[in-house]
Amino acid sequence: MDTDNLVLPTPSNFPAFPYDPPYSIQIDLMSHVYTSIEKRQVTIVESPTGTGKTLSLLCSSLSWLVDEKDRARKGQLLQQSLSSAAPSWVAAQALDILKRELEAEDKEYEERLAKARKTEAHFRMLAGARVTKKQRVTVDLDQGHVDEDAYLPDDDCEDTQDNFSPAVRALMAKMDKSNKRDPASRGDEPSCTKIYYASRTHSQLSQVLPELTRLKFKHLALGSAVPDESTRQWRTVSLGSRKQLCINEDARSRPGDIDEKCRELLEEKQNKRCQYLPPVGDDTRMLDLRDQILASPKDIEDLATAGKNTQTCPYYGSRRAIPQAELVTLPYNLLLQKTAREALGIDLTNQVIIIDEAHNLIPTLLSLSSVRLTSTILSTSLKQVSVYYKKFRNKLSAMHALHLKRLLNFLDAFQRVTMDWMAQKSSAKSQRQDTEVMTVPDFIHRLGRKVEGINLLEIESYLKRSKIARKISRYAVDVSEGHNRITESVAEKPGKHSSGVATPPLHTIEALMLGLAGASEDGRLIFSAVGDTVEIKYQLLNPSTLFRDVVDVARSVVLAGGTMSPISAVVSELFTYVPQNRLSTFSCGHIIPASNVQTLLLTKGPSGLDLEFKFAQQSNRQVVSELGQIVLNFCNVVPGGMVVFFPSYASLNFAREAWSLSGLLDKFSVKKKVFLEPQESSGVDVILREYAIAAKTHTLLDKKTGAVLFAVIGAKLSEGLNFSDDLARAVVVIGLPFANKNSPELQERMRYANQAESRSGIKRHAGGKDAATEMYENMCMNAVNQSIGRAIRHRGDWASLVLIDRRFTSSAIRGKLPQWLRDDVAVCETFGQAMKHLGNFYREKRQRTVC
């Protein structure tokens, strides 16, 4: 009997959930997620903000993990009993021995973590009294002397021209990795089934661990079938970037890219190596930090503190904790990029992936798969490789010389194509546009026969393995600065370099090569003239290409968000290849009473003018004046804060100028303090603080009614922010924020969507929209839905949602609103109807507050 084939039944309740009883929609959500994980499904979950989404996702996935561990343990014991041909009493004794061995392993591991917790507590006690000494930096000031051998590539770079098969090569790499393990780890780095919990930003991830601590999973004592009263400590690790986790103040204070500075210090020897990295072959400090990380859940700030306490790098320490962690939290980019996963040692095979705030997933995938470079970066790369090759050609091995020569040919041909394109564009006789889109085969053909036969993936793989890009860049920088360093004043501070450590330009070329070699049909190159330079952008048109590497190996993938509508868009762009029996969706209602939200579709203004804010109307003074009258009327009835979303910065700025000239802005200020979203990110926090104060400086009984904040859909204030209670008693969305159809990238995506639909053989129903139109509308409504989701953040919250544009009344657009408000929408054919609805709604809330 194989326990792997035993199906875990979905629990009828979840005792670890901290609130008893949970709301019914929370039970439904947890049951759905548990079932989806057990069935190895890909599922899309929509759970509005305020419904306890994060808590429900953690509780259901970790409940499954508990049951899965129990199933795996029983499977080991069952396998032992079935495989034994000895007499029953001997088999029973062998089974008992195995059981005690497994319990002993668990006990040893728990004792190790308990010891780590005590050590951590001791460090916290001493932290206040410690004075951290700065690392002494020793610098060779030999006048202009350059150790040329230091710039040569490593001799142990693997040659891809050998006769070994890929399978044999993979096995050799695995054996080599195990042989390099430190003896202190006893050569044993056990891995376990785990939950990977990803979100877009670290601020969003910072909300996960507090929710984790609320869960009431009971600790199961060793050898006991009955849980005790202590709360289970989940082995958790938070992954972050060097920028967030580096504790080397000297490296942080120097100008330049922190990743490159870290890699440089990692490759240094003896006293030049980073002081927070243990010497090669001595892993004791790193293993101690690993145990401290796993001993209790830590966010990014806690990890940095633990690293400082132990004087050990928390960036690499967190990586060492991954194999034994049960829950790993990480930002999108570390999960979705194959190169990042490989660098961190993340293996997603048969693991559970939860991606929160997944409404951002498709744009994130497209962004991660795009590469942007300029003709300046291209020429710098060519110059650096050329100088390096000429200098070290006679010292390079045949393999290194061959790859660098091929790289030079590629860069030289690439620069020629770029210069020819710019020359033709500049020609007086040329009708060439400022932008041109090329397919990958077309671009490769333009590079010429000399390059067409080159395996770009092989060169990219060489650059990645040899890490030669940094040595080429470092040599070029050192040579160019050599004369300056010789003539600099002796009084200059030791170790201060004029340029810092920059990201090698070849890294951009490397990323482009990977894209060109990976998806010839799905990729496009876009050449654009920007002043005297050429900007080249590689764009992958199919977001599922990058994500499929995750979906194909993971046990289960859960995409969750407060607003995932329209869900059909996610399926059509990411999961067309997934079998129907492996794909599921779930969308739940809101926990608020229906009387706490009203959604109005406004089609006419106070003068009876039809409201349709297409691009041309956004700069029509009559239309904008009508809009100003609408906002003024709303200011008279909406208490507290009101957030008004415009389709673009241009439309917001035009309205502001028009209202300022007509005096409408001053009239707004009589009732509400006026705020506008800043175009610079640096000003957002100040605006939000001042707006929050102004919005809350009243009660429902006061004559003054707070503040109004004018913002932009899809910009800094339209997602990820919490406008609860008085911060948003009304959210107003003006127009439909359709993207610019003149964008070359969007045109190519839409063209590709129709081509993909045609290849699939799927016939749309009569009168149905083509795939490109559907995608175009979906992009727009996804942005609208995120703006709507800024209000109604908890069960007791209440607000009005007003959508101003008659196009919102079409069944196609309404059908893409979130499910929880889709069926309860009031269409206002006159402005008077809208004001009546608003007046009644706020009057009822005012009366309830007074009572």
Side-chain angles (χ1 to χ4, degrees), residues 339 369-373 378 381-382 385 402-415 440 443-444 447 451 454-464 468-469 505-520 523 525 536-540:
T339 52
S369 60
S370 68
V371 182
R372 193 184 298 269
L373 72 151
L378 178 59
S381 298
L382 176 59
V385 177
L402 176 63
H403 284 307
L404 289 178
K405 184 62 178 175
R406 289 172 174 171
L407 176 61
L408 272 173
N409 290 338
F410 171 78
L411 292 173
D412 185 59
F414 194 172
Q415 179 162 277
V440 174
F443 173 69
I444 297 296
L447 292 177
V451 176
I454 295 177
N455 186 333
L456 296 181
L457 191 60
E458 192 174 281
I459 299 178
E460 185 276 333
S461 178
Y462 163 75
L463 291 172
K464 179 181 174 183
I468 198 172
L506 267 179
H507 280 179
T508 307
I509 302 296
E510 185 180 330
L512 177 66
M513 284 182 160
L514 183 61
L516 293 175
S520 59
L525 283 107
I536 304 104
K537 180 181 180 182
Y538 171 79
Q539 178 68 64
L540 190 65

Side-chain angles (χ1 to χ4, degrees), residues 671-687:
K671 278 291 182 180
K672 295 184 182 292
K673 190 170 182 179
V674 178
F675 296 88
L676 289 93
E677 176 176 333
Q679 291 192 235
E680 298 296 328
S681 299
S682 57
V684 170
D685 289 342
V686 174
I687 291 292

Side-chain angles (χ1 to χ4, degrees), residues 79-146:
Q79 185 178 14
Q80 172 67 28
S81 64
L82 294 177
S83 63
S84 176
S88 58
W89 65 272
V90 175
Q93 189 175 34
L95 193 64
D96 187 58
I97 292 172
L98 175 60
K99 187 176 181 180
R100 288 200 300 271
E101 288 176 349
L102 294 174
E103 290 174 356
E105 288 178 5
D106 287 346
K107 183 178 181 181
E108 180 186 2
Y109 192 74
E110 287 195 13
E111 287 175 347
R112 202 174 85 209
L113 293 186
K115 180 181 177 182
R117 292 185 191 107
K118 290 181 180 179
T119 303
E120 184 182 6
H122 178 68
F123 275 129
R124 280 200 301 267
M125 185 176 63
L126 297 178
R130 173 181 290 114
V131 177
T132 303
K133 295 182 179 179
K134 282 196 172 185
Q135 180 184 16
R136 293 186 63 185
V137 181
T138 58
V139 181
D140 181 11
L141 294 178
D142 186 8
Q143 298 291 314
H145 173 70
V146 176

Side-chain angles (χ1 to χ4, degrees), residues 32 36 41-46 567-568 571 583-587:
H32 176 82
S36 299
Q41 289 182 327
V42 174
T43 187
I44 303 167
V45 173
E46 183 178 56
I567 291 178
S568 59
V571 175
L583 188 63
S584 65
T585 62
F586 176 88
S587 185

Side-chain angles (χ1 to χ4, degrees), residues 565-601:
S565 298
I567 291 178
S568 59
V570 183
V571 175
S572 63
E573 292 205 57
L574 291 182
F575 302 123
T576 54
Y577 61 90
V578 176
Q580 286 298 311
N581 62 352
R582 203 194 168 205
L583 188 63
S584 65
T585 62
F586 176 88
S587 185
C588 67
H590 216 299
I591 58 174
I592 62 168
S595 60
N596 276 21
V597 61
Q598 72 167 354
T599 305
L600 307 178
L601 305 186

Side-chain angles (χ1 to χ4, degrees), residues 357-400:
E357 303 299 330
H359 63 273
N360 279 307
L361 182 58
I362 291 174
T364 299
L365 288 167
L366 291 171
S367 175
L368 290 174
S369 60
S370 68
V371 182
R372 193 184 298 269
L373 72 151
T374 62
S375 51
T376 303
I377 291 177
L378 178 59
S379 62
T380 301
S381 298
L382 176 59
K383 183 177 179 180
Q384 287 187 355
V385 177
S386 182
V387 168
Y388 182 90
Y389 183 74
K390 289 177 181 177
K391 177 66 178 178
F392 296 104
R393 177 171 49 190
N394 295 330
K395 292 187 176 183
L396 295 171
S397 68
M399 184 268 293
H400 287 295

Side-chain angles (χ1 to χ4, degrees), residues 89 99 109 116 158 189 293 301 374 381 391 420 441 474 496 499 513 516 570 602 702 729 735 831 841:
W89 65 272
K99 187 176 181 180
Y109 192 74
E158 180 187 349
E189 286 279 358
I293 290 171
E301 290 73 20
T374 62
S381 298
K391 177 66 178 178
D420 288 348
R474 189 72 257 167
K496 184 177 180 181
S499 65
M513 284 182 160
L516 293 175
V570 183
L602 185 56
D702 288 337
R729 290 307 183 193
F831 183 69
F841 180 80

